[in-house]
Amino acid sequence: MKALIFDLDGTLVDTVYAHALAWQAALAEYGIETDAARLHRRIGMAGDLLVQEVARDNGTKLSPAKSKSANERHGELFARLAPKPRPLDGAVELLRKLRQRRVPHGIATSGERDSIRPAIAALKLPAGAIVVDGTSAHQAKPAPDLFIQCQRRLRAPEKDCFVIGDATWDVLAARRAGMLAVGLLSGGYGEDELYRAGAFRVYRDAGELLGSIGHLGLSL
Amino acid sequence: MKALIFDLDGTLVDTVYAHALAWQAALAEYGIETDAARLHRRIGMAGDLLVQEVARDNGTKLSPAKSKSANERHGELFARLAPKPRPLDGAVELLRKLRQRRVPHGIATSGERDSIRPAIAALKLPAGAIVVDGTSAHQAKPAPDLFIQCQRRLRAPEKDCFVIGDATWDVLAARRAGMLAVGLLSGGYGEDELYRAGAFRVYRDAGELLGSIGHLGLSL
């Protein structure tokens, strides 16, 4: 039996653009000016890793305490920009079919517990849905830890797991975990970026993946 | 003598992500729900063309009057999200060097006059700078009209004009106008998307273009 492990932002909920703008505004308050497009390509990493990398690119450094506050400030600004995250096309239906057919599946996201709650609510997941978040992992993506934790909770061997994500970080972390990765364009990456990272297949969004689910050896 | 024709949003000012979110919210008010990533790839088109295409993809149609109001609503929401557009890395310096060396250059954008004023101000352009906007063109990008109007005002033959833009629309319109196009990643497109559209060269942002300006046969 195959199992599916989903990223959250840009894969199931339409939050990547709001995250990019929230990071841009939060970092500017800490003196770090960066183009939104560069932040866009870093969404999905752990927040503290993102702050470190962007600071370094700007030739500066934030103390761990300031990095933590910048991360929290990003959370506040994001909640203002996207108070009710919108499920991406096909996401709610795909998840519902997976439940109906009892296909093991879960969510593995670098986001932290409190900040992802509205997204989980928007997806209408039942109580008991498997969600692994950045709070519980030693290392967030592109480390494979989150996907491996999710896989263990699904009790599926890694060779039977597909990771579904919108970012090159998802694809790289999946490969490090020994899993195949399916890319979705709904987070705004280009198709070639995902294929070059090593995606097994790339679809437009969760809806197109549902229509092509036979490619993964499943029928829904 | 070479001449440079610049796109505005995503090329000189960091406004693409705010435009995507503003379009998403404006169209939702007219019953059209679309993922931000799909709107992102349509920024740079004329507003009414964007509305038509998105409506059609959603299996609906807006009357010309409603399309106009949705476009205006987008303008209002954009002004709230990005009241002071931020110049992209290297843009102000590149434009200043072009003025100092008296290299003919101008801006050609699908945006309309009132809505682009804050961006023009942020770029510190002198009075008399050449700016062709969507108000004055019969057809906005990907039609070549805006670039051809700008070229005429620069009094340069098209074979000596380089178009600098972040979107595949810029690259396609440039080619239709008989000009070479340089892509910039600062609007969030992937490198391959721009090369596949036919870009002569792709750089990270205006700053990297300035450092590589010799590739275009200029020295600054």
Side-chain angles (χ1 to χ4, degrees):
Chain A
M1 181 57 141
K2 298 293 179 194
L4 300 186
I5 300 177
F6 289 89
D7 168 58
L8 182 62
D9 293 297
T11 298
L12 295 172
V13 287
D14 198 2
T15 48
V16 167
Y17 290 75
H19 271 304
L21 289 182
W23 273 119
Q24 188 175 42
L27 290 169
E29 292 179 12
Y30 288 80
I32 297 172
E33 294 277 345
T34 318
D35 299 347
R38 274 193 246 185
L39 291 164
H40 178 194
R41 291 312 198 274
R42 287 208 166 93
I43 306 299
M45 285 187 165
D48 51 353
L49 195 60
L50 179 147
V51 174
Q52 272 172 42
E53 290 201 1
V54 175
R56 189 198 57 207
D57 282 0
N58 274 39
T60 176
K61 212 179 157 174
L62 286 192
S63 68
K66 280 200 175 168
S67 169
K68 191 161 173 279
S69 346
N71 201 344
E72 284 166 5
R73 183 66 179 140
H74 153 257
E76 284 168 25
L77 293 168
F78 173 74
R80 247 185 256 170
L81 267 174
K84 290 179 98 175
R86 181 181 161 273
L88 283 157
D89 283 355
V92 170
E93 196 187 349
L94 174 57
L95 291 169
R96 193 175 52 231
K97 293 234 169 164
L98 291 171
R99 287 195 300 275
Q100 284 169 356
R101 299 289 181 128
R102 299 180 183 277
V103 177
H105 64 282
I107 292 174
T109 170
S110 303
E112 285 169 30
R113 203 156 298 150
D114 292 340
S115 73
I116 64 173
R117 205 162 288 153
I120 299 295
L123 290 168
K124 300 174 189 165
L125 295 184
I130 291 176
V131 179
V132 177
D133 63 50
T135 319
S136 56
H138 288 303
Q139 284 199 287
K141 303 170 202 171
D145 305 31
L146 285 163
F147 293 150
I148 290 171
Q149 280 194 30
C150 191
Q151 171 225 335
R152 288 188 182 146
R153 288 183 58 188
L154 294 172
R155 300 169 191 276
E158 57 272 299
K159 69 171 182 48
D160 289 336
C161 293
F162 284 100
V163 164
I164 322 293
D166 69 302
T168 53
W169 313 117
D170 297 310
V171 179
L172 299 177
R175 294 175 75 194
R176 285 173 62 186
M179 302 171 191
L180 292 178
V182 171
L184 299 184
L185 299 177
S186 42
Y189 275 78
E191 191 176 16
D192 281 300
E193 295 176 83
L194 296 172
Y195 275 121
R196 285 197 186 190
F200 167 72
R201 205 72 201 129
V202 176
Y203 301 104
R204 201 177 57 202
D205 53 28
E208 200 189 50
L209 168 60
L210 175 55
S212 311
I213 202 80
H215 303 179
L216 311 190
L218 284 162
S219 85
L220 293 180
Chain B
M1 181 58 140
K2 299 293 178 195
L4 300 186
I5 299 176
F6 289 89
D7 166 58
L8 182 61
D9 293 298
T11 299
L12 295 172
V13 286
D14 198 1
T15 48
V16 167
Y17 289 74
H19 271 303
L21 289 181
W23 273 119
Q24 188 175 41
L27 289 168
E29 292 179 12
Y30 288 79
I32 298 172
E33 294 277 345
T34 317
D35 299 346
R38 275 193 245 185
L39 292 164
H40 179 194
R41 291 311 198 274
R42 286 207 165 94
I43 306 298
M45 284 187 167
D48 51 354
L49 194 60
L50 179 147
V51 174
Q52 271 173 42
E53 291 201 1
V54 175
R56 188 199 56 208
D57 282 0
N58 275 39
T60 176
K61 213 179 154 171
L62 286 191
S63 68
K66 280 200 175 168
S67 168
K68 191 162 174 280
S69 344
N71 202 343
E72 286 167 4
R73 182 67 179 139
H74 153 257
E76 284 169 26
L77 293 168
F78 173 74
R80 247 185 255 167
L81 267 175
K84 289 180 97 177
R86 182 182 160 273
L88 283 158
D89 283 355
V92 170
E93 196 187 348
L94 174 57
L95 292 169
R96 192 175 53 228
K97 293 235 170 166
L98 291 170
R99 288 196 299 275
Q100 284 169 356
R101 300 289 182 128
R102 298 180 184 277
V103 177
H105 63 283
I107 292 174
T109 172
S110 302
E112 284 169 31
R113 202 156 300 152
D114 292 340
S115 73
I116 64 173
R117 206 162 287 154
I120 300 294
L123 291 167
K124 301 176 189 164
L125 295 184
I130 291 176
V131 180
V132 177
D133 62 52
T135 319
S136 56
H138 288 302
Q139 284 198 287
K141 304 169 202 172
D145 304 30
L146 284 162
F147 293 151
I148 291 170
Q149 279 194 31
C150 191
Q151 170 226 335
R152 287 186 183 149
R153 289 183 57 187
L154 294 171
R155 299 168 191 277
E158 58 272 305
K159 69 172 182 47
D160 291 335
C161 292
F162 285 100
V163 164
I164 321 294
D166 70 301
T168 53
W169 312 116
D170 297 311
V171 178
L172 299 178
R175 294 175 75 195
R176 285 173 62 185
M179 303 170 190
L180 293 178
V182 171
L184 300 184
L185 299 176
S186 43
Y189 275 78
E191 191 175 16
D192 281 300
E193 295 175 84
L194 297 171
Y195 274 121
R196 285 198 187 189
F200 166 72
R201 206 71 201 129
V202 176
Y203 301 103
R204 200 179 56 204
D205 53 29
E208 200 190 51
L209 169 60
L210 175 56
S212 311
I213 203 79
H215 303 179
L216 311 189
L218 283 163
S219 84
L220 293 180

